[in-house]
Amino acid sequence: MALSLVAGFVLGAAGIGAAWAISADFDSPVTGGAPAADARAACEALDRFDPEKYTDKGPAGEAALNRYAAAGALSASAAAGDAKYKELAQAIRRSQDRHAQVFDFDATVKRDLDQAREICRAL
C-alpha cells in the first residue's frame, strides 16, 4: 500500500505539472510571471488540500493526494525560476519528506504545512 501511495504521489505530481506546463500562459518568453504563477498555483493546491482525506478511497483521496503532490511540484518550479519562492518549496518538501517517512500527518508534517500556508498568505 505504501508503494502505491508513493507511486500515486509521484505520478500525480508529474501529471499535474505536465498539464499545467502545457496550458501555461507566460508573460514573457524568458520567465515572465511563470515563477509567480507557479507559486500561486502551489498555494491554491495547498489551500484545497485536506490531509484528513489523503488516505480516503475514491475521488476524495485521489484529489487530496494529487493536490499535495501538485503543491510540491509547483512550488519547486517556482523556486527554480525565482529564489524568493525557495522557502515555500522547502516547507512543502519538508512536509512531503517527513510524510514519506512516517506515512502520517504527524505534528512535524503539520507544522511544515502550516509554515507553507503562512508563506502563501504573505504572497
Side-chain angles (χ1 to χ4, degrees):
M1 180 168 158
L3 183 58
S4 59
L5 280 175
V6 171
F9 181 77
V10 170
L11 291 174
I16 296 292
W20 181 88
I22 290 169
S23 66
D25 182 20
F26 301 117
D27 295 335
S28 81
V30 181
T31 60
D38 286 347
R40 283 191 304 274
C43 290
E44 289 170 5
L46 192 59
D47 188 48
R48 293 188 312 273
F49 170 62
D50 182 357
E52 297 297 319
K53 295 183 180 180
Y54 189 83
T55 57
D56 286 1
K57 301 276 189 229
E62 290 175 31
L65 185 138
N66 287 314
R67 286 178 180 140
Y68 193 36
L74 289 164
S75 65
S77 178
D82 189 331
K84 73 180 180 181
Y85 301 114
K86 186 176 180 182
E87 187 180 2
L88 172 63
Q90 289 174 334
I92 294 172
R93 174 60 57 207
R94 278 192 311 273
S95 76
Q96 291 173 333
D97 288 348
R98 172 70 179 175
H99 182 265
Q101 292 173 356
V102 299
F103 300 105
D104 190 24
F105 289 93
D106 67 3
T108 302
V109 175
K110 288 179 182 178
R111 183 193 69 227
D112 289 328
L113 284 173
D114 288 345
Q115 181 186 14
R117 289 182 169 122
E118 189 63 35
I119 293 167
C120 285
R121 283 188 282 277
L123 293 179

